[in-house]
Amino acid sequence: ARVAVVVPAAGRGERLGGGVPKALRPLGGRPMLVHAVQSLATAELVSQIVVAAPPTLVEVVSRLLGPDVRVLPGGAERIDSVRGALRALDDDIRVVLVHDAARPLTPPSLVDAVARAVLGGLPAVIPVLTLADTVKEVDADGRVLRTPPRGGLRAVQTPQGFRREVLEAAYTSSDGDGPAVTDDAGLVERLGVPVATIPGSDEAFKVTRPADLVFAEALLTRRPL
Ligand code: C5P
């Protein structure tokens, strides 16, 4: 069964600043997206990669990633970018991973671990980490409502992996959720499909704020090339 990865990379990256779409921010001299796609291409089980790029930059991104990567214009929200990319999958793809361009240092071994878990029969698999910080639920004014026990919480990373028909059903049945949908498994959960977790990786963190770039640069210099 062939495995594809869909990469939403069409975000503006406003929290990061800098005026460049986040996926194209350089890290060690190369755009984050190039690092992310290289990790996916290095994974043993991945056979197709589809990238949703900022609409005005499709040509630029396509040239950066080379002929083996399909590049399409992304949508207004992440959910639209993923939905569009799903339509470009090859017919024989059975397993689909969705991976943020904003996680440039994700180890190929994590990509393969997610793919292997779905190929092994699980309908949906996500990599997770336990939390270092305590988390509070707050109201609109920032007043604390409650403190969920930390032991039962996980921070969720990507790639998230799905049987193709499960992810397609999730995207078909969801419409207009827009910004409320922050991960793909969230859509799948609504279908009542069980979502399994596997251990994530510290290196699969999402570059979101300026300090994350500093951390990513530091990690890169310590990596063997
Ligand atoms: O904003 P956030 O960091 O959650 O974005 C996660 C991923 O979704 C990023 O890789 C971003 O480029 C992508 N995205 C997208 N299309 C959008 C918004 C975000 O592909 N319209």
Side-chain angles (χ1 to χ4, degrees), residues 7-13 15 22-23 52 74-79 81-82 99-103 182 206-208:
V7 184
R12 287 171 298 274
R15 286 168 292 179
K22 179 156 72 172
E77 303 292 342
R78 184 186 187 282
I79 186 172
S81 296
V82 174
H99 184 53
D100 291 331
R103 300 180 188 272
T182 55
K206 182 160 68 171
V207 174
T208 305

Side-chain angles (χ1 to χ4, degrees), residues 15-42:
R15 286 168 292 179
L16 193 59
V20 183
K22 179 156 72 172
L24 297 183
R25 281 293 287 264
L27 199 64
R30 299 150 75 219
M32 275 206 273
L33 174 62
V34 172
H35 290 278
V37 167
Q38 191 185 18
S39 156
L40 297 170
T42 304

Side-chain angles (χ1 to χ4, degrees), residues 6-188:
V6 162
V7 184
R12 287 171 298 274
E14 277 151 5
R15 286 168 292 179
L16 193 59
V20 183
K22 179 156 72 172
L24 297 183
R25 281 293 287 264
L27 199 64
R30 299 150 75 219
M32 275 206 273
L33 174 62
V34 172
H35 290 278
V37 167
Q38 191 185 18
S39 156
L40 297 170
T42 304
E44 287 172 23
L45 297 171
V46 172
S47 47
Q48 188 189 10
I49 300 172
V50 181
V51 171
T56 57
L57 296 172
V58 170
E59 296 268 293
V60 173
V61 168
S62 183
R63 237 173 292 126
L64 272 175
L65 298 178
D68 295 339
V69 178
R70 179 86 185 270
V71 181
L72 306 168
E77 303 292 342
R78 184 186 187 282
I79 186 172
D80 307 305
S81 296
V82 174
R83 187 182 281 116
L86 288 177
R87 292 197 204 102
L89 296 180
D90 291 340
D91 287 341
D92 61 347
I93 294 296
R94 290 288 152 263
V95 171
V96 182
L97 273 47
V98 184
H99 184 53
D100 291 331
R103 300 180 188 272
L105 303 185
T106 302
S109 57
L110 180 64
V111 179
D112 280 327
V114 172
R116 202 171 291 118
V118 182
L119 289 166
L122 295 169
V125 176
I126 62 176
V128 300
L129 295 178
T130 56
L131 299 183
D133 295 322
T134 295
V135 173
K136 305 280 184 191
E137 190 176 343
V138 297
D139 67 15
D141 300 319
R143 272 185 297 257
V144 172
L145 296 171
R146 60 189 72 82
T147 307
R150 191 171 65 190
L153 297 174
R154 297 291 181 270
V156 178
Q157 303 180 320
T158 75
Q160 301 190 348
F162 309 92
R163 276 186 213 145
R164 178 178 183 166
E165 65 274 15
V166 165
L167 191 61
E168 286 179 341
Y171 271 87
T172 305
S173 64
S174 77
D175 219 2
D177 307 273
V181 180
T182 55
D183 86 324
D184 304 279
L187 292 177
V188 167

